[in-house]
Amino acid sequence: EIATIASSAGLRSPQILVGQRRPFRAPHHTASAAAIVGGGEPIRAGELTLAHRGVLFLDELPEFRRDAIETLRTTMEEGEVVISRARQRVRLPAEPMVVAAMNPCPCGYHGDPTRFCRCGELQIARYRGRVSGPLLDRFDLQVAVPRVSARTMRKATPGESSKAVQRRVERTRAWLTSDGPRASLESLTEHVTPEALTLLELGVERLKMSARAYLKALRVARTIAALDRSTEVLPAHTAEALQYRVLDREPS
């Protein structure tokens, strides 16, 4: 499927065409909605389809045109792009892993322990408001990544190898075979302990999370439990899942 999309789009990557590597797409923030979703005459696949079953990386997310990134909302839920014209209606597969990055504020130093942030609260709110809440809700993980010093990078010890991570991911997927990307609430809560569910619901109420964000956090907790080789979702797993919803919190 990946090779068919790449071939029809005229891509010449041998590794993708023979199925040895998944696609990685990183469009510039000036890309139009048609470039992201697809379109034109004749209809051509956009970045969402070209990254199908691979990674779509959106750097500087708030700098993208609003109409371009808002098209992600339906696609991230449905897993396909529908392009309608007067005489035709085309459905294109679009199930990439969407990864995005953004600064905490326009100057980039909000919350930095060593650099002074020059942005006011209104500037920060306006900057973050460029990305709508419904779109942010569709990201399973929202993680703050602080600046790392040069000394820390120099003294960093090697992490896990890609092969070791691959084995953990494959094992976890085997544990979660019954949980599809659109699993029901009943199936997701089947193996959650009452204490863990109470903690999760308390966090949802305090953070005023949406129903979609609640399901995302529940799914992440299930994944954390599987990575921990636990047959049940425990309070520690739901607590960690709530930590990955940083954009649901009020800015300090």
Side-chain angles (χ1 to χ4, degrees), residues 24-187:
F24 177 87
R25 306 290 298 184
H28 193 262
H29 64 260
T30 57
S32 65
I36 299 295
V37 179
E41 189 62 43
I43 293 176
R44 297 176 61 88
E47 295 291 343
L48 279 164
T49 297
L50 296 177
H52 180 60
R53 301 198 184 281
V55 174
L56 176 64
F57 178 54
L58 304 175
D59 196 14
E60 301 291 351
L61 184 63
E63 303 299 334
F64 278 81
R65 291 173 45 172
R66 185 68 175 262
D67 63 330
I69 59 174
E70 287 302 312
T71 57
L72 295 172
R73 289 165 56 173
T74 303
T75 305
M76 291 173 72
E77 290 288 328
E78 303 297 333
E80 66 177 9
V81 169
V82 180
I83 302 175
S84 299
R85 293 289 184 267
R87 297 184 179 180
Q88 60 179 328
R89 182 182 176 89
V90 178
R91 293 179 180 270
L92 300 174
E95 285 191 280
M97 177 187 294
V98 181
V99 181
M102 60 184 288
N103 288 314
C105 66
C107 79
Y109 293 110
H110 179 68
D112 192 295
T114 60
R115 295 289 297 269
F116 177 73
C117 174
R118 303 188 303 271
C119 307
E121 292 185 5
L122 184 60
Q123 285 179 289
I124 296 174
R126 188 180 297 117
Y127 176 76
R128 296 184 180 181
R130 295 178 185 176
V131 184
S132 69
L135 176 58
L136 291 175
D137 259 358
R138 285 165 167 81
F139 286 91
D140 292 40
L141 304 176
Q142 302 169 0
V143 183
V145 183
R147 185 165 57 89
V148 180
S149 67
R151 175 176 294 183
T152 301
M153 289 190 290
R154 179 170 55 85
K155 293 185 176 182
T157 56
E160 286 184 286
S161 66
S162 296
K163 286 293 184 182
V165 174
Q166 181 182 3
R167 286 193 295 269
R168 286 198 297 120
V169 170
E170 290 174 347
R171 184 186 69 236
T172 303
R173 282 180 173 173
W175 278 51
L176 298 175
T177 51
S178 61
D179 289 355
R182 298 168 186 84
S184 65
L185 178 61
E186 290 76 12
S187 64

